[in-house]
Amino acid sequence: MADFQIDDTVDITDVVCPLTFVKAKVAIEELEDGQILSVKMNDGEPVQNVPRSLKEEGHQILKLISNDDGTYNLLVKKVEE
C-alpha cells in the first residue's frame, strides 16, 4: 500500500448492506478532491458492489488489495464533479 498516500480509512466489514454504501459514501464525501480513501470490506457482495457504486459517483478506483483474511482494502481517489 506504499504506492498511495492514504488520507482516510473506513471499515465497513461489520456493516450490512445497504449501510456499507452509505458509510463508504459519507467517508469519501468528507475528503478533499484528490484525496484517497481506503475502504476495508468483506469479500463477496461488498467487493462486487461498493467499487461499482463509488465509480458511478464519479470517483476513481485505484486498487483492490486482498488482505488474505477474507477482507479487502479498496483504494478510491475522490473526484469532485
Side-chain angles (χ1 to χ4, degrees):
M1 274 211 257
D3 318 355
F4 300 102
Q5 169 66 50
I6 309 293
D7 296 293
D8 197 13
T9 304
V10 62
D11 184 344
I12 56 173
T13 54
D14 56 351
V15 188
V16 225
C17 277
L19 285 177
T20 46
F21 300 109
V22 175
K23 210 167 166 182
K25 283 180 184 176
V26 165
I28 202 154
E29 280 165 14
E30 290 172 350
L31 294 182
E32 300 292 316
D33 188 25
Q35 286 191 315
I36 295 175
L37 175 69
S38 174
V39 184
K40 184 174 184 188
M41 57 194 166
N42 292 320
D43 196 1
E45 206 177 326
V47 167
Q48 291 161 11
N49 296 328
V50 173
R52 189 176 60 220
S53 165
L54 289 170
K55 197 173 181 180
E56 282 169 1
E57 299 268 310
H59 303 298
Q60 185 185 352
I61 305 301
L62 301 174
K63 204 170 189 181
L64 183 64
I65 301 152
S66 172
N67 297 321
D68 300 324
D69 63 356
T71 67
Y72 286 82
N73 277 69
L74 176 73
L75 302 188
V76 189
K77 185 182 213 173
K78 178 166 183 176
V79 178
E80 290 285 358
E81 308 254 341

